[in-house]
Amino acid sequence: MKRQDILKKQDIPEQEELQILSLNAFSGMGGAMAPDVAALVERRRRAFGAASVLFYDEPLRIVRAEGATIHASDGRAYLDFYNNVPTVGHCHPKVVEAVRAQLGAFNTHSRYLFDVAHDYAEKLLATFPAELSNLVLACTGSESNDLALRLARKVSGGEGIIVTRTAYHGNTATVTEVSPSSYKTGAPPRYIRMVPPPDPALFGNDIAQGFADAVKAEIAALKADGIGFAGLLVDTIFSSDGVYADPPGFLKAAVEVTRAAGGLFIADEVQPGFGRTGEGMWGFSRHGVVPDIVTMGKPMGNGYPMAGLVTRPDILDAFCADFGYFNTFAGSPAACAAGLAVLEAIEEDGLIANAARVGRHLTARLKRLQARAPITAVRGAGLYLGIEFGTEKGPAPDIAKGLINGLRDHGILIGAAGRYGNVLKIRPPLCVTTAHADLLVDTLEELLT
């Protein structure tokens, strides 16, 4: 497929693209709020200004949480089908106790020796392919992706990065450039190129070849503009694009194209990592590829600020020959204690198997609902699913937005994704049960009918 044909397929001018943070944002135009909530909203507005983002037409004031449940000041318990940060469950006792004990002993930066850092690194690295044997810790996924881009550019000698059309990879200056969905106006710079998501509506039955051809076309376009190619960066579940997981293995062809052109493949595992797909620890493993760099964040510490990247020693050595890297709070004892507790909880609680089991049940029920609702697709793997809504007129973000707030009113929290905001994004803590899944689908059916 020629580049102009690929670009034409992406262009649907009659539909409005939505910026990622606006998909579920509180606008201040909702109905009456409880007095305590209204007071906090006003305090938020005064203190945090235009940068503040709140969820739902009526924001929630949270007072406590456990497992897959969040308790709000209105006295209600809300089932959390939105939040992938507490991956092993809100306030998991193992994580809480590990951090409490470490903070009670000592907590400092990583230029001292302490056992928990090495215990954590060795246990985490054991989940990766053998060649990915070096870990660099950070505090946020944005920092991890920022460093990954620096590594790729150093090793490749190029500057150009290819991402998907509605990607989100973080919020540093450099990482915002590779996050097209963050732009309210304008677009990424000329050394960042975008390809469509691996959508069967765009590429038909041969998604692997179509997506690889799109990447190849943008590599050629970079070269034609005199820009060296550094790498392909994707979130391996394509979450912000609307959740695209299948068929397993489709990424392999694009990775081969990337490496043939001298670029590196960066797998952003912030969203699909740590067992969420129900098929092992990492989203990239579903595709039979070994990335050059893997980035992690959010779920790594179950809410404790922790992130990192894993790569080959030769890549890290090349970078460190020219630059030092030190991050005061990255790899602190408390962070490593949290991370180690997360890995242990995933094993002890059987959360990968649970993601597979509950994910299969939820997917089957959603597909049965699809036959009698304006659902155009149910996509994903394990406990990362997308429900796409549309009508004969095209994408239907109004349905998705109505369901987000309707579900909230029924005690279920959920978010949205996709270029047009018409995909409900399901990514709960991995401890949810089939009963929780049934409650979600039953409530969806009630709202839709």
Side-chain angles (χ1 to χ4, degrees), residues 138-202:
C139 297
T140 67
S142 296
E143 290 179 339
S144 296
N145 280 323
D146 190 292
L147 181 58
L149 294 171
R150 294 174 68 188
L151 294 177
R153 284 166 169 158
K154 168 61 183 174
V155 171
S156 67
E159 186 181 22
I161 301 291
I162 295 175
V163 296
T164 48
R165 182 67 184 80
T166 319
Y168 176 77
H169 294 289
N171 56 24
T172 67
T174 298
V175 180
T176 295
E177 292 180 346
V178 295
S179 300
S181 65
S182 290
Y183 284 76
K184 289 184 177 180
T185 61
R190 62 192 296 268
Y191 48 83
I192 307 300
R193 301 300 167 95
M194 296 172 287
V195 294
D199 185 348
L202 298 174

Side-chain angles (χ1 to χ4, degrees), residues 153-328:
R153 284 166 169 158
K154 168 61 183 174
V155 171
S156 67
E159 186 181 22
I161 301 291
I162 295 175
V163 296
T164 48
R165 182 67 184 80
T166 319
Y168 176 77
H169 294 289
N171 56 24
T172 67
T174 298
V175 180
T176 295
E177 292 180 346
V178 295
S179 300
S181 65
S182 290
Y183 284 76
K184 289 184 177 180
T185 61
R190 62 192 296 268
Y191 48 83
I192 307 300
R193 301 300 167 95
M194 296 172 287
V195 294
D199 185 348
L202 298 174
F203 296 124
N205 293 327
D206 197 348
I207 293 173
Q209 190 60 54
F211 189 67
D213 285 347
V215 172
K216 189 173 184 178
E218 292 305 325
I219 293 171
L222 283 166
K223 183 178 180 180
D225 289 342
I227 301 169
F229 175 51
L232 170 68
L233 167 62
V234 299
D235 153 17
T236 57
I237 199 96
F238 296 87
S239 57
S240 296
D241 291 289
V243 187
Y244 296 93
D246 293 320
F250 76 77
L251 258 179
K252 190 172 185 179
V255 173
E256 290 171 352
V257 165
T258 295
R259 288 180 172 148
L264 278 68
F265 171 49
I266 305 170
D268 183 336
E269 291 285 336
V270 172
Q271 301 279 355
F274 294 93
R276 180 156 294 281
T277 67
E279 299 178 43
M281 280 287 282
W282 309 111
F284 65 79
S285 63
R286 299 183 73 249
H287 295 285
V289 298
V290 178
D292 298 293
I293 306 169
V294 178
T295 60
M296 299 159 285
K298 293 178 181 177
M300 203 170 183
N302 209 56
Y304 195 97
M306 185 183 192
L309 68 76
V310 170
T311 190
R312 299 194 309 269
D314 61 292
I315 293 174
L316 191 57
D317 289 349
F319 175 80
C320 290
D322 288 349
F323 299 99
Y325 183 81
F326 175 65
N327 185 320
T328 300

Side-chain angles (χ1 to χ4, degrees), residues 35-120:
D36 66 312
V37 174
L40 272 184
V41 167
E42 177 58 22
R43 288 174 66 188
R44 172 74 72 100
R45 185 193 65 78
R46 289 197 307 267
F48 296 101
S52 172
V53 177
L54 292 168
F55 285 159
Y56 302 107
D57 287 342
E58 184 180 351
L60 290 175
R61 181 186 181 189
I62 305 303
V63 294
R64 63 185 176 90
E66 78 282 330
T69 305
I70 289 176
H71 299 269
S73 61
D74 59 8
R76 296 185 65 186
Y78 292 84
L79 180 58
D80 188 358
F81 265 93
Y82 177 81
N83 199 344
N84 73 316
V85 178
T87 190
V88 299
H90 289 278
C91 301
H92 192 289
K94 189 177 189 73
V95 181
V96 171
E97 175 55 25
V99 173
R100 185 207 63 77
Q102 188 58 61
L103 288 173
F106 68 93
N107 194 40
T108 185
H109 61 71
S110 57
R111 287 190 177 179
Y112 298 102
L113 290 170
F114 38 87
D115 290 343
V116 68
H118 306 90
D119 294 341
Y120 176 65

Side-chain angles (χ1 to χ4, degrees), residues 7 10 19 94 107 116 215 259 294 303 340 342 388 410:
L7 292 174
Q10 295 186 76
Q19 194 241 0
K94 189 177 189 73
N107 194 40
V116 68
V215 172
R259 288 180 172 148
V294 178
L340 184 60
V342 166
E388 184 178 276
H410 283 70

